[in-house]
PDB file of all heavy atoms in Angstrom:
ATOM      1  N   ASP A  22      22.296 -49.940  42.835  1.00  0.00           N
ATOM      2  CA  ASP A  22      23.526 -49.741  43.826  1.00  0.00           C
ATOM      3  C   ASP A  22      23.732 -48.285  43.901  1.00  0.00           C
ATOM      4  O   ASP A  22      23.984 -47.684  45.042  1.00  0.00           O
ATOM      5  CB  ASP A  22      24.642 -50.529  43.428  1.00  0.00           C
ATOM      6  CG  ASP A  22      24.428 -52.035  43.680  1.00  0.00           C
ATOM      7  OD1 ASP A  22      23.669 -52.319  44.591  1.00  0.00           O
ATOM      8  OD2 ASP A  22      25.183 -52.881  42.932  1.00  0.00           O
ATOM      9  N   GLU A  23      23.843 -47.535  42.780  1.00  0.00           N
ATOM     10  CA  GLU A  23      24.100 -46.121  42.733  1.00  0.00           C
ATOM     11  C   GLU A  23      23.005 -45.269  43.508  1.00  0.00           C
ATOM     12  O   GLU A  23      23.341 -44.538  44.373  1.00  0.00           O
ATOM     13  CB  GLU A  23      24.257 -45.630  41.378  1.00  0.00           C
ATOM     14  CG  GLU A  23      25.375 -46.104  40.567  1.00  0.00           C
ATOM     15  CD  GLU A  23      25.415 -45.802  39.164  1.00  0.00           C
ATOM     16  OE1 GLU A  23      24.296 -45.404  38.563  1.00  0.00           O
ATOM     17  OE2 GLU A  23      26.452 -45.827  38.483  1.00  0.00           O
ATOM     18  N   VAL A  24      21.817 -45.618  43.292  1.00  0.00           N
ATOM     19  CA  VAL A  24      20.706 -44.982  43.919  1.00  0.00           C
ATOM     20  C   VAL A  24      20.702 -45.335  45.479  1.00  0.00           C
ATOM     21  O   VAL A  24      20.518 -44.348  46.276  1.00  0.00           O
ATOM     22  CB  VAL A  24      19.358 -45.365  43.323  1.00  0.00           C
ATOM     23  CG1 VAL A  24      18.164 -44.828  44.235  1.00  0.00           C
ATOM     24  CG2 VAL A  24      19.247 -44.839  41.925  1.00  0.00           C
ATOM     25  N   ARG A  25      20.949 -46.501  45.854  1.00  0.00           N
ATOM     26  CA  ARG A  25      21.022 -46.857  47.284  1.00  0.00           C
ATOM     27  C   ARG A  25      22.069 -46.062  47.955  1.00  0.00           C
ATOM     28  O   ARG A  25      21.836 -45.584  49.095  1.00  0.00           O
ATOM     29  CB  ARG A  25      21.294 -48.343  47.335  1.00  0.00           C
ATOM     30  CG  ARG A  25      21.084 -48.972  48.734  1.00  0.00           C
ATOM     31  CD  ARG A  25      21.341 -50.498  48.783  1.00  0.00           C
ATOM     32  NE  ARG A  25      20.338 -51.243  47.849  1.00  0.00           N
ATOM     33  CZ  ARG A  25      20.684 -51.876  46.782  1.00  0.00           C
ATOM     34  NH1 ARG A  25      21.930 -51.915  46.320  1.00  0.00           N
ATOM     35  NH2 ARG A  25      19.816 -52.532  46.065  1.00  0.00           N
ATOM     36  N   LYS A  26      23.202 -45.857  47.348  1.00  0.00           N
ATOM     37  CA  LYS A  26      24.304 -45.189  47.957  1.00  0.00           C
ATOM     38  C   LYS A  26      23.972 -43.705  48.106  1.00  0.00           C
ATOM     39  O   LYS A  26      24.237 -43.038  49.133  1.00  0.00           O
ATOM     40  CB  LYS A  26      25.553 -45.345  47.229  1.00  0.00           C
ATOM     41  CG  LYS A  26      26.221 -46.682  47.329  1.00  0.00           C
ATOM     42  CD  LYS A  26      27.457 -46.781  46.389  1.00  0.00           C
ATOM     43  CE  LYS A  26      27.988 -48.268  46.349  1.00  0.00           C
ATOM     44  NZ  LYS A  26      29.016 -48.360  45.435  1.00  0.00           N
ATOM     45  N   LYS A  27      23.301 -43.155  47.133  1.00  0.00           N
ATOM     46  CA  LYS A  27      22.886 -41.702  47.086  1.00  0.00           C
ATOM     47  C   LYS A  27      21.868 -41.520  48.160  1.00  0.00           C
ATOM     48  O   LYS A  27      21.847 -40.429  48.953  1.00  0.00           O
ATOM     49  CB  LYS A  27      22.342 -41.246  45.729  1.00  0.00           C
ATOM     50  CG  LYS A  27      23.472 -41.163  44.760  1.00  0.00           C
ATOM     51  CD  LYS A  27      22.963 -40.909  43.364  1.00  0.00           C
ATOM     52  CE  LYS A  27      23.989 -40.955  42.254  1.00  0.00           C
ATOM     53  NZ  LYS A  27      23.343 -40.703  40.917  1.00  0.00           N
ATOM     54  N   LEU A  28      20.874 -42.414  48.303  1.00  0.00           N
ATOM     55  CA  LEU A  28      19.779 -42.215  49.312  1.00  0.00           C
ATOM     56  C   LEU A  28      20.246 -42.450  50.692  1.00  0.00           C
ATOM     57  O   LEU A  28      19.641 -41.725  51.583  1.00  0.00           O
ATOM     58  CB  LEU A  28      18.687 -43.291  49.030  1.00  0.00           C
ATOM     59  CG  LEU A  28      17.917 -43.192  47.697  1.00  0.00           C
ATOM     60  CD1 LEU A  28      16.845 -44.415  47.609  1.00  0.00           C
ATOM     61  CD2 LEU A  28      17.054 -41.864  47.829  1.00  0.00           C
ATOM     62  N   ALA A  29      21.305 -43.109  50.867  1.00  0.00           N
ATOM     63  CA  ALA A  29      21.934 -43.300  52.215  1.00  0.00           C
ATOM     64  C   ALA A  29      22.377 -41.960  52.865  1.00  0.00           C
ATOM     65  O   ALA A  29      22.344 -41.792  54.085  1.00  0.00           O
ATOM     66  CB  ALA A  29      23.015 -44.261  52.196  1.00  0.00           C
ATOM     67  N   HIS A  30      22.620 -40.946  52.014  1.00  0.00           N
ATOM     68  CA  HIS A  30      23.250 -39.663  52.516  1.00  0.00           C
ATOM     69  C   HIS A  30      22.073 -38.533  52.412  1.00  0.00           C
ATOM     70  O   HIS A  30      22.407 -37.454  52.791  1.00  0.00           O
ATOM     71  CB  HIS A  30      24.400 -39.261  51.630  1.00  0.00           C
ATOM     72  CG  HIS A  30      25.430 -40.301  51.723  1.00  0.00           C
ATOM     73  ND1 HIS A  30      26.303 -40.562  52.749  1.00  0.00           N
ATOM     74  CD2 HIS A  30      25.903 -41.130  50.798  1.00  0.00           C
ATOM     75  CE1 HIS A  30      27.082 -41.483  52.542  1.00  0.00           C
ATOM     76  NE2 HIS A  30      27.006 -41.882  51.283  1.00  0.00           N
ATOM     77  N   LEU A  31      20.891 -38.870  52.036  1.00  0.00           N
ATOM     78  CA  LEU A  31      19.945 -37.818  51.973  1.00  0.00           C
ATOM     79  C   LEU A  31      19.006 -37.834  53.210  1.00  0.00           C
ATOM     80  O   LEU A  31      18.584 -38.735  53.684  1.00  0.00           O
ATOM     81  CB  LEU A  31      18.920 -38.101  50.688  1.00  0.00           C
ATOM     82  CG  LEU A  31      19.588 -37.977  49.364  1.00  0.00           C
ATOM     83  CD1 LEU A  31      18.583 -38.333  48.321  1.00  0.00           C
ATOM     84  CD2 LEU A  31      20.126 -36.545  49.063  1.00  0.00           C
ATOM     85  N   PRO A  32      18.892 -36.509  53.760  1.00  0.00           N
ATOM     86  CA  PRO A  32      18.026 -36.416  54.919  1.00  0.00           C
ATOM     87  C   PRO A  32      16.545 -36.162  54.515  1.00  0.00           C
ATOM     88  O   PRO A  32      15.926 -35.088  54.511  1.00  0.00           O
ATOM     89  CB  PRO A  32      18.587 -35.050  55.545  1.00  0.00           C
ATOM     90  CG  PRO A  32      19.057 -34.339  54.429  1.00  0.00           C
ATOM     91  CD  PRO A  32      19.490 -35.231  53.361  1.00  0.00           C
ATOM     92  N   VAL A  33      15.864 -37.247  54.102  1.00  0.00           N
ATOM     93  CA  VAL A  33      14.499 -37.209  53.668  1.00  0.00           C
ATOM     94  C   VAL A  33      13.604 -38.114  54.462  1.00  0.00           C
ATOM     95  O   VAL A  33      14.122 -39.146  55.072  1.00  0.00           O
ATOM     96  CB  VAL A  33      14.417 -37.579  52.105  1.00  0.00           C
ATOM     97  CG1 VAL A  33      15.101 -36.527  51.297  1.00  0.00           C
ATOM     98  CG2 VAL A  33      14.919 -38.931  51.852  1.00  0.00           C
ATOM     99  N   ASP A  34      12.351 -37.794  54.489  1.00  0.00           N
ATOM    100  CA  ASP A  34      11.406 -38.640  55.208  1.00  0.00           C
ATOM    101  C   ASP A  34      10.772 -39.710  54.301  1.00  0.00           C
ATOM    102  O   ASP A  34      10.477 -40.824  54.822  1.00  0.00           O
ATOM    103  CB  ASP A  34      10.236 -37.751  55.707  1.00  0.00           C
ATOM    104  CG  ASP A  34      10.753 -36.806  56.686  1.00  0.00           C
ATOM    105  OD1 ASP A  34      11.748 -37.093  57.446  1.00  0.00           O
ATOM    106  OD2 ASP A  34      10.241 -35.630  56.742  1.00  0.00           O
ATOM    107  N   GLN A  35      10.548 -39.436  53.004  1.00  0.00           N
ATOM    108  CA  GLN A  35       9.878 -40.448  52.199  1.00  0.00           C
ATOM    109  C   GLN A  35      10.676 -40.493  50.908  1.00  0.00           C
ATOM    110  O   GLN A  35      11.320 -39.553  50.373  1.00  0.00           O
ATOM    111  CB  GLN A  35       8.516 -40.016  51.911  1.00  0.00           C
ATOM    112  CG  GLN A  35       7.586 -39.948  53.048  1.00  0.00           C
ATOM    113  CD  GLN A  35       7.340 -41.294  53.570  1.00  0.00           C
ATOM    114  OE1 GLN A  35       7.014 -42.196  52.914  1.00  0.00           O
ATOM    115  NE2 GLN A  35       7.405 -41.482  54.952  1.00  0.00           N
ATOM    116  N   VAL A  36      10.627 -41.740  50.249  1.00  0.00           N
ATOM    117  CA  VAL A  36      11.186 -41.960  48.928  1.00  0.00           C
ATOM    118  C   VAL A  36      10.127 -42.567  48.052  1.00  0.00           C
ATOM    119  O   VAL A  36       9.406 -43.519  48.469  1.00  0.00           O
ATOM    120  CB  VAL A  36      12.428 -42.868  49.048  1.00  0.00           C
ATOM    121  CG1 VAL A  36      12.955 -43.271  47.642  1.00  0.00           C
ATOM    122  CG2 VAL A  36      13.446 -42.277  49.901  1.00  0.00           C
ATOM    123  N   VAL A  37      10.096 -42.166  46.771  1.00  0.00           N
ATOM    124  CA  VAL A  37       9.208 -42.797  45.777  1.00  0.00           C
ATOM    125  C   VAL A  37      10.198 -43.305  44.675  1.00  0.00           C
ATOM    126  O   VAL A  37      11.007 -42.486  44.230  1.00  0.00           O
ATOM    127  CB  VAL A  37       8.253 -41.805  45.117  1.00  0.00           C
ATOM    128  CG1 VAL A  37       7.483 -42.480  44.023  1.00  0.00           C
ATOM    129  CG2 VAL A  37       7.279 -41.192  46.262  1.00  0.00           C
ATOM    130  N   ALA A  38      10.129 -44.584  44.340  1.00  0.00           N
ATOM    131  CA  ALA A  38      11.008 -45.112  43.316  1.00  0.00           C
ATOM    132  C   ALA A  38      10.238 -45.591  42.094  1.00  0.00           C
ATOM    133  O   ALA A  38       9.128 -46.069  42.051  1.00  0.00           O
ATOM    134  CB  ALA A  38      11.654 -46.323  43.936  1.00  0.00           C
ATOM    135  N   LEU A  39      10.831 -45.194  40.893  1.00  0.00           N
ATOM    136  CA  LEU A  39      10.367 -45.664  39.638  1.00  0.00           C
ATOM    137  C   LEU A  39      11.456 -46.614  39.070  1.00  0.00           C
ATOM    138  O   LEU A  39      12.614 -46.170  39.010  1.00  0.00           O
ATOM    139  CB  LEU A  39      10.113 -44.515  38.644  1.00  0.00           C
ATOM    140  CG  LEU A  39       9.054 -43.542  39.055  1.00  0.00           C
ATOM    141  CD1 LEU A  39       9.004 -42.357  38.085  1.00  0.00           C
ATOM    142  CD2 LEU A  39       7.738 -44.219  38.977  1.00  0.00           C
ATOM    143  N   THR A  40      11.102 -47.743  38.517  1.00  0.00           N
ATOM    144  CA  THR A  40      12.098 -48.567  37.945  1.00  0.00           C
ATOM    145  C   THR A  40      11.924 -48.667  36.403  1.00  0.00           C
ATOM    146  O   THR A  40      10.717 -48.597  35.951  1.00  0.00           O
ATOM    147  CB  THR A  40      12.041 -49.955  38.558  1.00  0.00           C
ATOM    148  OG1 THR A  40      10.753 -50.604  38.299  1.00  0.00           O
ATOM    149  CG2 THR A  40      12.348 -49.913  40.046  1.00  0.00           C
ATOM    150  N   LEU A  41      12.970 -48.897  35.698  1.00  0.00           N
ATOM    151  CA  LEU A  41      12.882 -48.986  34.333  1.00  0.00           C
ATOM    152  C   LEU A  41      13.577 -50.273  33.824  1.00  0.00           C
ATOM    153  O   LEU A  41      14.654 -50.521  33.997  1.00  0.00           O
ATOM    154  CB  LEU A  41      13.736 -47.809  33.461  1.00  0.00           C
ATOM    155  CG  LEU A  41      13.130 -46.398  33.851  1.00  0.00           C
ATOM    156  CD1 LEU A  41      14.065 -45.372  33.087  1.00  0.00           C
ATOM    157  CD2 LEU A  41      11.716 -46.236  33.265  1.00  0.00           C
ATOM    158  N   GLN A  42      12.710 -51.219  33.371  1.00  0.00           N
ATOM    159  CA  GLN A  42      13.160 -52.562  32.980  1.00  0.00           C
ATOM    160  C   GLN A  42      14.125 -52.458  31.845  1.00  0.00           C
ATOM    161  O   GLN A  42      15.177 -53.019  31.903  1.00  0.00           O
ATOM    162  CB  GLN A  42      11.991 -53.411  32.589  1.00  0.00           C
ATOM    163  CG  GLN A  42      12.389 -54.736  32.149  1.00  0.00           C
ATOM    164  CD  GLN A  42      12.256 -55.742  33.484  1.00  0.00           C
ATOM    165  OE1 GLN A  42      11.684 -55.340  34.498  1.00  0.00           O
ATOM    166  NE2 GLN A  42      12.909 -56.835  33.397  1.00  0.00           N
ATOM    167  N   HIS A  43      13.837 -51.661  30.776  1.00  0.00           N
ATOM    168  CA  HIS A  43      14.634 -51.606  29.602  1.00  0.00           C
ATOM    169  C   HIS A  43      15.050 -50.271  29.215  1.00  0.00           C
ATOM    170  O   HIS A  43      15.045 -49.808  28.100  1.00  0.00           O
ATOM    171  CB  HIS A  43      13.950 -52.269  28.392  1.00  0.00           C
ATOM    172  CG  HIS A  43      13.547 -53.613  28.608  1.00  0.00           C
ATOM    173  ND1 HIS A  43      14.498 -54.654  28.719  1.00  0.00           N
ATOM    174  CD2 HIS A  43      12.328 -54.336  28.827  1.00  0.00           C
ATOM    175  CE1 HIS A  43      13.871 -55.745  29.060  1.00  0.00           C
ATOM    176  NE2 HIS A  43      12.575 -55.569  29.123  1.00  0.00           N
ATOM    177  N   GLY A  44      15.280 -49.339  30.187  1.00  0.00           N
ATOM    178  CA  GLY A  44      15.543 -47.957  29.920  1.00  0.00           C
ATOM    179  C   GLY A  44      17.072 -47.672  29.935  1.00  0.00           C
ATOM    180  O   GLY A  44      17.768 -48.398  30.398  1.00  0.00           O
ATOM    181  N   ASN A  45      17.430 -46.477  29.303  1.00  0.00           N
ATOM    182  CA  ASN A  45      18.819 -46.172  29.309  1.00  0.00           C
ATOM    183  C   ASN A  45      18.972 -44.881  30.121  1.00  0.00           C
ATOM    184  O   ASN A  45      17.942 -44.323  30.587  1.00  0.00           O
ATOM    185  CB  ASN A  45      19.326 -45.928  27.888  1.00  0.00           C
ATOM    186  CG  ASN A  45      18.506 -44.900  27.119  1.00  0.00           C
ATOM    187  OD1 ASN A  45      17.993 -43.949  27.751  1.00  0.00           O
ATOM    188  ND2 ASN A  45      18.324 -45.100  25.834  1.00  0.00           N
ATOM    189  N   LYS A  46      20.153 -44.359  30.337  1.00  0.00           N
ATOM    190  CA  LYS A  46      20.416 -43.168  31.140  1.00  0.00           C
ATOM    191  C   LYS A  46      19.577 -41.932  30.728  1.00  0.00           C
ATOM    192  O   LYS A  46      19.039 -41.179  31.497  1.00  0.00           O
ATOM    193  CB  LYS A  46      21.815 -42.879  31.258  1.00  0.00           C
ATOM    194  CG  LYS A  46      22.578 -43.694  32.282  1.00  0.00           C
ATOM    195  CD  LYS A  46      24.016 -43.289  32.501  1.00  0.00           C
ATOM    196  CE  LYS A  46      24.583 -44.169  33.483  1.00  0.00           C
ATOM    197  NZ  LYS A  46      26.004 -43.551  33.801  1.00  0.00           N
ATOM    198  N   ALA A  47      19.544 -41.758  29.359  1.00  0.00           N
ATOM    199  CA  ALA A  47      18.891 -40.593  28.735  1.00  0.00           C
ATOM    200  C   ALA A  47      17.386 -40.635  29.106  1.00  0.00           C
ATOM    201  O   ALA A  47      16.692 -39.712  29.539  1.00  0.00           O
ATOM    202  CB  ALA A  47      19.140 -40.422  27.264  1.00  0.00           C
ATOM    203  N   LEU A  48      16.767 -41.830  28.875  1.00  0.00           N
ATOM    204  CA  LEU A  48      15.345 -41.985  29.203  1.00  0.00           C
ATOM    205  C   LEU A  48      15.066 -41.766  30.705  1.00  0.00           C
ATOM    206  O   LEU A  48      14.082 -41.173  31.029  1.00  0.00           O
ATOM    207  CB  LEU A  48      14.869 -43.304  28.683  1.00  0.00           C
ATOM    208  CG  LEU A  48      13.407 -43.779  29.105  1.00  0.00           C
ATOM    209  CD1 LEU A  48      12.506 -42.819  28.437  1.00  0.00           C
ATOM    210  CD2 LEU A  48      13.116 -45.198  28.740  1.00  0.00           C
ATOM    211  N   ALA A  49      15.972 -42.290  31.498  1.00  0.00           N
ATOM    212  CA  ALA A  49      15.792 -42.117  32.921  1.00  0.00           C
ATOM    213  C   ALA A  49      15.722 -40.693  33.306  1.00  0.00           C
ATOM    214  O   ALA A  49      15.044 -40.180  34.217  1.00  0.00           O
ATOM    215  CB  ALA A  49      16.821 -42.901  33.645  1.00  0.00           C
ATOM    216  N   HIS A  50      16.640 -39.942  32.818  1.00  0.00           N
ATOM    217  CA  HIS A  50      16.759 -38.456  33.053  1.00  0.00           C
ATOM    218  C   HIS A  50      15.533 -37.720  32.617  1.00  0.00           C
ATOM    219  O   HIS A  50      15.053 -36.771  33.304  1.00  0.00           O
ATOM    220  CB  HIS A  50      18.079 -37.827  32.535  1.00  0.00           C
ATOM    221  CG  HIS A  50      19.217 -38.218  33.360  1.00  0.00           C
ATOM    222  ND1 HIS A  50      19.501 -37.554  34.668  1.00  0.00           N
ATOM    223  CD2 HIS A  50      20.307 -39.071  33.242  1.00  0.00           C
ATOM    224  CE1 HIS A  50      20.736 -38.110  35.072  1.00  0.00           C
ATOM    225  NE2 HIS A  50      21.089 -39.069  34.298  1.00  0.00           N
ATOM    226  N   VAL A  51      15.030 -38.041  31.389  1.00  0.00           N
ATOM    227  CA  VAL A  51      13.903 -37.364  30.802  1.00  0.00           C
ATOM    228  C   VAL A  51      12.708 -37.608  31.760  1.00  0.00           C
ATOM    229  O   VAL A  51      11.922 -36.800  32.076  1.00  0.00           O
ATOM    230  CB  VAL A  51      13.548 -37.684  29.399  1.00  0.00           C
ATOM    231  CG1 VAL A  51      12.308 -37.295  28.930  1.00  0.00           C
ATOM    232  CG2 VAL A  51      14.705 -37.239  28.491  1.00  0.00           C
TER     233      VAL A  51
END
């Protein structure tokens, strides 16, 4: 939901998404 809201405001042509089944915020940022 957070990513969806952030993407709605970005002027970009393409998006690549990575999902983490069992990740935490620190792992996501790394």
Side-chain angles (χ1 to χ4, degrees):
D22 286 335
E23 292 169 344
V24 170
R25 193 176 299 111
K26 289 175 187 173
K27 292 174 185 178
L28 289 175
H30 301 290
L31 292 178
V33 296
D34 296 327
Q35 297 292 313
V36 174
V37 175
L39 296 173
T40 60
L41 299 175
Q42 183 90 18
H43 302 291
N45 57 35
K46 283 188 178 188
L48 175 61
H50 284 283
V51 169

